[in-house]
Amino acid sequence: MKATYRALFRQLLDAYGPQHWWPADDAFEMMIGAILIQHTAWPNASRAIDNLRDAGLLAPEPLAGTKLERLTGLIRAAGVYRVKARRIHAFVHWYRSRGEYPALGALPTPKLRRALLSVHGIGPETADDILVYAFNRPVFVVDAYARRLFARYGLARGDERYHQLKAMVEAGLPGDAAILGEFHALIVEHGKRSCRPKPLCESCHLRKHCASARQLTAEA
DNA sequence: ACCCAGGGTCATA
DNA sequence: TATGACCATGGG
């Protein structure tokens, strides 16, 4: 089969099934989670979210009124906690000042993306996470897993710019938030199970989990 | 005892 | 433009 983003999406979906992302109860929790997950394993970020929820802080007003010092204590398990506490604070204050979900949801995707990127601590990947999973915009999230998998699969070189790779994928799949969001989720699921961080499977210490990975790459 | 994770910012050259 | 340091917990 010809190597296309569509074909890869189909194979990942067949191999792993729907991922039901983003694992959050509502849009606000998703956005906070997007900051907490940065460069962090999900179980650690999940603990931090649980702590915030148990403290009743998973809503704009309570979170905005929480002292930075208390926030750092609650999200410690997520790692990089002092940095992330400041980022969450910056985000929440921005979010409230911009009218929260209703007003922000009325913005066209490019404007909303620029607005998100203006927040200290929100870069391209986090912005696109929020766009696709919280605002249902047809946007693909580029991450390290995607770069490695696409390179392995012959769909990219691996050193493309963020916006380049993003445009390539978005041009190769339907402009549908559900599809593009599912694609990113499947790529992460695949990446977690297989060959990181090596570009090839040969020296992977997780080989025993790589059955699906080998099946995928064998056809590349 | 290492390695790295569902990144981003800042300081250098 | 392009690297490198830094943040920092928890699991493999």
Side-chain angles (χ1 to χ4, degrees):
Chain A
M1 171 173 310
K2 191 171 62 173
T4 63
Y5 293 110
R6 280 175 185 267
L8 179 57
F9 174 76
R10 174 51 60 188
Q11 289 189 55
L12 288 169
L13 189 59
D14 289 345
Y16 302 121
Q19 299 301 304
H20 307 294
W21 270 28
W22 185 286
D25 293 338
D26 55 62
F28 186 74
E29 179 180 324
M30 184 276 141
M31 297 188 251
I32 299 305
I35 293 173
L36 288 170
I37 193 57
Q38 291 171 350
H39 199 70
T40 301
W42 174 253
N44 295 347
S46 186
R47 281 187 201 100
I49 294 169
D50 289 343
N51 291 342
L52 292 176
R53 187 186 303 107
D54 293 345
L57 296 179
L58 275 183
E61 290 195 34
L63 199 53
T66 303
K67 290 195 170 181
L68 213 52
E69 197 172 63
R70 180 152 129 85
L71 201 49
T72 61
L74 290 168
I75 68 172
R76 185 163 307 247
V80 204
Y81 50 85
R82 278 189 285 266
V83 170
K84 285 177 178 174
R86 268 182 238 118
R87 291 180 181 180
I88 288 173
H89 237 264
F91 171 78
V92 172
H93 286 287
W94 167 84
Y95 185 67
R96 277 162 51 86
S97 76
R98 294 295 298 259
E100 305 195 3
Y101 201 96
L104 287 168
L107 294 178
T109 300
K111 276 198 171 187
L112 181 52
R113 188 171 197 274
R114 280 196 296 275
L116 285 164
L117 288 174
S118 75
V119 181
H120 187 84
I122 295 188
E125 186 172 338
T126 305
D128 287 333
D129 270 331
I130 291 173
L131 283 172
V132 69
Y133 296 114
F135 289 94
N136 295 309
R137 304 305 171 89
V139 156
F140 177 71
V141 179
V142 177
D143 66 343
Y145 289 138
R147 290 182 184 283
R148 289 200 287 266
L149 179 58
F150 294 160
R152 186 74 181 88
Y153 207 68
L155 286 165
R157 295 189 312 276
D159 61 345
E160 288 86 357
R161 300 290 203 161
Y162 185 97
H163 71 272
Q164 276 183 307
L165 198 48
K166 179 184 165 180
M168 289 164 61
V169 175
E170 290 174 358
L173 286 172
D176 182 336
I179 300 236
L180 294 172
E182 188 67 52
F183 195 27
H184 173 59
L186 286 164
I187 289 166
V188 172
E189 178 59 24
H190 175 73
K192 286 199 292 196
R193 297 194 193 204
S194 54
C195 315
R196 62 186 177 201
K198 309 281 186 184
L200 303 176
C201 282
E202 270 60 78
S203 58
C204 183
H205 65 292
L206 296 173
R207 284 186 77 87
K208 56 176 187 270
H209 299 302
C210 280
S212 299
R214 285 197 297 274
Q215 185 180 354
L216 283 168
T217 54
E219 302 177 22

